[in-house]
Amino acid sequence: MELIRVALVNIISAVSQLVVCAATGDYDEVEDLIERHRPHLMIAEPFAENRDGIMWIKELTAKFPQTKILVASSNAEATYAERALRAGASGYWMKRGTASGLLQGIETVLSGELYVSPRIALLAVHKLIDRSSPSSVAVTALTDRELHVFALIGAGHGVSRIAQQLGISSRTVEAHCEHIKLKLSYRDAIALKHGARELLGSRS
């Protein structure tokens, strides 16, 4: 994470029109830094540390509407980009993308537009044509909490650990799992785990 953060700072700082006012790897510092610097744009990985990234985006955009959020993530873009944008983010850039793509994303977001990769823009067009597509179901069928549980399952966490991380009961986690299996047509827990890994992609 530190190497990625330094690389992003170097890429952005090389552009004369852009100024990096702060950088941190500590989520607890983020709100204080926004309060202090009032940036026009924040680049963030909201899904690290198994946190509820969608809720985090909602909270930040509600509290700091003047600061736009460009998500920089390794999570599966086809699954998370639309969800992040609906939560309040202004763009979604994959970490394995190019520096030029990052700068294009920054420029697009600062101009008041939404940014996603051309591939996701194309998927959005296909979804308008065919709402029964698997990618459409994967993104829209689950609630934000169910998606978070699904991601933790894909990361290899068991019910007890998920319950502890989310501060809910194991029974509630099991209920979420049953809802996910029903919505995405998984036969059992093994299919659920395999599907989570396949659909949501790996993190780096």
Side-chain angles (χ1 to χ4, degrees):
M1 292 294 291
E2 177 65 25
L3 290 176
I4 294 174
R5 186 162 55 253
V6 171
L8 293 180
V9 169
N10 289 338
I11 291 169
I12 297 168
S13 299
V15 180
S16 59
Q17 300 96 320
L18 301 175
V19 176
V20 178
C21 59
T24 182
D26 186 348
Y27 285 93
D28 293 332
E29 292 183 346
V30 171
E31 291 194 17
D32 288 340
L33 290 174
I34 295 177
E35 286 276 13
R36 189 184 315 160
H37 299 284
R38 297 290 173 173
H40 295 100
L41 172 71
M42 178 182 75
I43 299 174
E45 164 56 290
F47 305 110
E49 300 180 358
N50 295 322
R51 66 190 303 111
D52 188 340
I54 298 300
M55 181 57 67
W56 192 63
I57 292 172
K58 289 179 179 179
E59 291 172 351
L60 285 179
T61 53
K63 191 168 184 178
F64 305 105
Q66 80 286 349
T67 299
K68 299 181 183 299
I69 298 176
L70 174 61
V71 173
S73 180
S74 58
N75 278 32
E77 187 182 20
T79 300
Y80 283 90
E82 180 181 337
R83 184 90 47 159
L85 294 178
R86 285 196 283 113
S90 296
Y92 198 102
W93 176 77
M94 290 294 289
K95 288 179 182 177
R96 63 173 177 269
T98 63
S100 61
L102 171 64
L103 295 176
Q104 181 184 356
I106 293 172
E107 180 181 356
T108 300
V109 170
L110 287 177
S111 70
E113 302 293 332
L114 298 178
Y115 175 81
V116 292
S117 71
R119 185 175 76 88
I120 294 303
L122 183 61
L123 282 176
V125 173
H126 283 300
K127 283 179 59 179
L128 290 175
I129 299 172
D130 180 14
R131 291 192 174 273
S132 65
S133 66
S135 61
S136 175
V137 172
V139 173
T140 61
L142 305 181
T143 66
D144 291 338
R145 176 49 65 89
E146 287 168 352
L147 180 63
H148 193 193
V149 170
F150 196 37
L152 292 174
I153 291 170
H157 300 329
V159 170
S160 296
R161 185 173 178 186
I162 294 173
Q164 183 178 18
Q165 286 182 295
L166 300 184
I168 57 180
S169 69
S170 295
R171 181 173 296 181
T172 300
V173 174
E174 290 170 351
H176 285 313
C177 290
E178 290 303 315
H179 293 157
I180 295 167
K181 285 191 289 185
L182 180 63
K183 290 179 178 180
L184 301 185
S185 300
Y186 292 130
R187 296 185 305 277
D188 50 34
I190 295 176
L192 176 65
K193 184 179 296 185
H194 177 75
R197 290 172 177 169
E198 184 179 70
L199 184 59
L200 301 185
S202 60
R203 301 179 183 188
S204 63

PDB file of all heavy atoms in Angstrom, residues 25-38:
ATOM      1  N   GLY A  25      -2.037   6.505   4.978  1.00  0.00           N
ATOM      2  CA  GLY A  25      -2.498   5.128   4.908  1.00  0.00           C
ATOM      3  C   GLY A  25      -3.380   4.779   6.095  1.00  0.00           C
ATOM      4  O   GLY A  25      -3.791   3.636   6.265  1.00  0.00           O
ATOM      5  N   ASP A  26      -3.675   5.782   6.919  1.00  0.00           N
ATOM      6  CA  ASP A  26      -4.474   5.598   8.128  1.00  0.00           C
ATOM      7  C   ASP A  26      -5.882   6.147   7.906  1.00  0.00           C
ATOM      8  O   ASP A  26      -6.075   7.355   7.768  1.00  0.00           O
ATOM      9  CB  ASP A  26      -3.806   6.327   9.298  1.00  0.00           C
ATOM     10  CG  ASP A  26      -4.495   6.059  10.627  1.00  0.00           C
ATOM     11  OD1 ASP A  26      -5.612   5.507  10.621  1.00  0.00           O
ATOM     12  OD2 ASP A  26      -3.911   6.402  11.678  1.00  0.00           O
ATOM     13  N   TYR A  27      -6.865   5.256   7.856  1.00  0.00           N
ATOM     14  CA  TYR A  27      -8.241   5.690   7.604  1.00  0.00           C
ATOM     15  C   TYR A  27      -8.754   6.629   8.686  1.00  0.00           C
ATOM     16  O   TYR A  27      -9.605   7.483   8.425  1.00  0.00           O
ATOM     17  CB  TYR A  27      -9.157   4.480   7.498  1.00  0.00           C
ATOM     18  CG  TYR A  27      -9.016   3.722   6.202  1.00  0.00           C
ATOM     19  CD1 TYR A  27      -8.148   2.646   6.098  1.00  0.00           C
ATOM     20  CD2 TYR A  27      -9.737   4.101   5.069  1.00  0.00           C
ATOM     21  CE1 TYR A  27      -8.001   1.952   4.897  1.00  0.00           C
ATOM     22  CE2 TYR A  27      -9.601   3.418   3.870  1.00  0.00           C
ATOM     23  CZ  TYR A  27      -8.738   2.350   3.800  1.00  0.00           C
ATOM     24  OH  TYR A  27      -8.592   1.676   2.605  1.00  0.00           O
ATOM     25  N   ASP A  28      -8.228   6.515   9.894  1.00  0.00           N
ATOM     26  CA  ASP A  28      -8.696   7.365  10.990  1.00  0.00           C
ATOM     27  C   ASP A  28      -8.254   8.816  10.807  1.00  0.00           C
ATOM     28  O   ASP A  28      -8.802   9.717  11.449  1.00  0.00           O
ATOM     29  CB  ASP A  28      -8.171   6.837  12.329  1.00  0.00           C
ATOM     30  CG  ASP A  28      -8.771   5.480  12.686  1.00  0.00           C
ATOM     31  OD1 ASP A  28      -9.900   5.197  12.237  1.00  0.00           O
ATOM     32  OD2 ASP A  28      -8.103   4.708  13.393  1.00  0.00           O
ATOM     33  N   GLU A  29      -7.260   9.045   9.944  1.00  0.00           N
ATOM     34  CA  GLU A  29      -6.775  10.409   9.699  1.00  0.00           C
ATOM     35  C   GLU A  29      -7.520  11.120   8.582  1.00  0.00           C
ATOM     36  O   GLU A  29      -7.392  12.341   8.430  1.00  0.00           O
ATOM     37  CB  GLU A  29      -5.282  10.379   9.345  1.00  0.00           C
ATOM     38  CG  GLU A  29      -4.356   9.978  10.466  1.00  0.00           C
ATOM     39  CD  GLU A  29      -2.903  10.040  10.051  1.00  0.00           C
ATOM     40  OE1 GLU A  29      -2.632  10.145   8.827  1.00  0.00           O
ATOM     41  OE2 GLU A  29      -2.043  10.005  10.941  1.00  0.00           O
ATOM     42  N   VAL A  30      -8.263  10.366   7.795  1.00  0.00           N
ATOM     43  CA  VAL A  30      -8.836  10.928   6.573  1.00  0.00           C
ATOM     44  C   VAL A  30      -9.728  12.135   6.833  1.00  0.00           C
ATOM     45  O   VAL A  30      -9.574  13.188   6.208  1.00  0.00           O
ATOM     46  CB  VAL A  30      -9.621   9.841   5.798  1.00  0.00           C
ATOM     47  CG1 VAL A  30     -10.405  10.461   4.648  1.00  0.00           C
ATOM     48  CG2 VAL A  30      -8.661   8.784   5.270  1.00  0.00           C
ATOM     49  N   GLU A  31     -10.661  12.013   7.760  1.00  0.00           N
ATOM     50  CA  GLU A  31     -11.591  13.126   8.001  1.00  0.00           C
ATOM     51  C   GLU A  31     -10.857  14.362   8.507  1.00  0.00           C
ATOM     52  O   GLU A  31     -11.176  15.487   8.096  1.00  0.00           O
ATOM     53  CB  GLU A  31     -12.674  12.697   8.985  1.00  0.00           C
ATOM     54  CG  GLU A  31     -13.635  11.673   8.402  1.00  0.00           C
ATOM     55  CD  GLU A  31     -14.888  11.511   9.242  1.00  0.00           C
ATOM     56  OE1 GLU A  31     -15.166  12.403  10.081  1.00  0.00           O
ATOM     57  OE2 GLU A  31     -15.601  10.514   9.061  1.00  0.00           O
ATOM     58  N   ASP A  32      -9.871  14.183   9.375  1.00  0.00           N
ATOM     59  CA  ASP A  32      -9.106  15.330   9.874  1.00  0.00           C
ATOM     60  C   ASP A  32      -8.350  16.016   8.736  1.00  0.00           C
ATOM     61  O   ASP A  32      -8.284  17.250   8.676  1.00  0.00           O
ATOM     62  CB  ASP A  32      -8.104  14.868  10.946  1.00  0.00           C
ATOM     63  CG  ASP A  32      -8.787  14.494  12.255  1.00  0.00           C
ATOM     64  OD1 ASP A  32      -9.936  14.927  12.464  1.00  0.00           O
ATOM     65  OD2 ASP A  32      -8.176  13.758  13.047  1.00  0.00           O
ATOM     66  N   LEU A  33      -7.791  15.230   7.825  1.00  0.00           N
ATOM     67  CA  LEU A  33      -7.055  15.805   6.700  1.00  0.00           C
ATOM     68  C   LEU A  33      -7.981  16.551   5.746  1.00  0.00           C
ATOM     69  O   LEU A  33      -7.624  17.617   5.232  1.00  0.00           O
ATOM     70  CB  LEU A  33      -6.306  14.698   5.947  1.00  0.00           C
ATOM     71  CG  LEU A  33      -5.118  14.082   6.679  1.00  0.00           C
ATOM     72  CD1 LEU A  33      -4.554  12.897   5.908  1.00  0.00           C
ATOM     73  CD2 LEU A  33      -4.017  15.122   6.901  1.00  0.00           C
ATOM     74  N   ILE A  34      -9.181  16.014   5.521  1.00  0.00           N
ATOM     75  CA  ILE A  34     -10.137  16.720   4.671  1.00  0.00           C
ATOM     76  C   ILE A  34     -10.577  18.026   5.329  1.00  0.00           C
ATOM     77  O   ILE A  34     -10.691  19.069   4.672  1.00  0.00           O
ATOM     78  CB  ILE A  34     -11.365  15.823   4.378  1.00  0.00           C
ATOM     79  CG1 ILE A  34     -10.948  14.595   3.562  1.00  0.00           C
ATOM     80  CG2 ILE A  34     -12.430  16.619   3.610  1.00  0.00           C
ATOM     81  CD1 ILE A  34     -12.082  13.623   3.301  1.00  0.00           C
ATOM     82  N   GLU A  35     -10.827  17.975   6.635  1.00  0.00           N
ATOM     83  CA  GLU A  35     -11.204  19.183   7.374  1.00  0.00           C
ATOM     84  C   GLU A  35     -10.121  20.253   7.257  1.00  0.00           C
ATOM     85  O   GLU A  35     -10.405  21.431   7.070  1.00  0.00           O
ATOM     86  CB  GLU A  35     -11.425  18.837   8.852  1.00  0.00           C
ATOM     87  CG  GLU A  35     -12.709  18.082   9.138  1.00  0.00           C
ATOM     88  CD  GLU A  35     -13.898  19.000   9.297  1.00  0.00           C
ATOM     89  OE1 GLU A  35     -13.785  20.189   8.942  1.00  0.00           O
ATOM     90  OE2 GLU A  35     -14.945  18.521   9.756  1.00  0.00           O
ATOM     91  N   ARG A  36      -8.862  19.818   7.350  1.00  0.00           N
ATOM     92  CA  ARG A  36      -7.737  20.750   7.364  1.00  0.00           C
ATOM     93  C   ARG A  36      -7.448  21.338   5.987  1.00  0.00           C
ATOM     94  O   ARG A  36      -7.206  22.538   5.836  1.00  0.00           O
ATOM     95  CB  ARG A  36      -6.491  20.035   7.883  1.00  0.00           C
ATOM     96  CG  ARG A  36      -5.305  20.957   8.156  1.00  0.00           C
ATOM     97  CD  ARG A  36      -4.096  20.149   8.579  1.00  0.00           C
ATOM     98  NE  ARG A  36      -4.449  19.128   9.562  1.00  0.00           N
ATOM     99  CZ  ARG A  36      -3.704  18.063   9.814  1.00  0.00           C
ATOM    100  NH1 ARG A  36      -2.574  17.857   9.160  1.00  0.00           N
ATOM    101  NH2 ARG A  36      -4.086  17.184  10.731  1.00  0.00           N
ATOM    102  N   HIS A  37      -7.483  20.500   4.949  1.00  0.00           N
ATOM    103  CA  HIS A  37      -7.042  20.940   3.626  1.00  0.00           C
ATOM    104  C   HIS A  37      -8.177  21.253   2.654  1.00  0.00           C
ATOM    105  O   HIS A  37      -7.960  21.942   1.656  1.00  0.00           O
ATOM    106  CB  HIS A  37      -6.135  19.872   3.002  1.00  0.00           C
ATOM    107  CG  HIS A  37      -4.890  19.605   3.784  1.00  0.00           C
ATOM    108  ND1 HIS A  37      -3.808  20.461   3.783  1.00  0.00           N
ATOM    109  CD2 HIS A  37      -4.554  18.566   4.594  1.00  0.00           C
ATOM    110  CE1 HIS A  37      -2.848  19.959   4.549  1.00  0.00           C
ATOM    111  NE2 HIS A  37      -3.281  18.825   5.065  1.00  0.00           N
ATOM    112  N   ARG A  38      -9.366  20.752   2.906  1.00  0.00           N
ATOM    113  CA  ARG A  38     -10.511  20.956   2.026  1.00  0.00           C
ATOM    114  C   ARG A  38     -10.150  20.704   0.557  1.00  0.00           C
ATOM    115  O   ARG A  38     -10.309  21.578  -0.307  1.00  0.00           O
ATOM    116  CB  ARG A  38     -11.039  22.382   2.186  1.00  0.00           C
ATOM    117  CG  ARG A  38     -11.570  22.690   3.568  1.00  0.00           C
ATOM    118  CD  ARG A  38     -12.860  21.945   3.837  1.00  0.00           C
ATOM    119  NE  ARG A  38     -13.323  22.082   5.219  1.00  0.00           N
ATOM    120  CZ  ARG A  38     -14.480  21.639   5.677  1.00  0.00           C
ATOM    121  NH1 ARG A  38     -15.302  21.009   4.859  1.00  0.00           N
ATOM    122  NH2 ARG A  38     -14.822  21.785   6.938  1.00  0.00           N
TER     123      ARG A  38
END
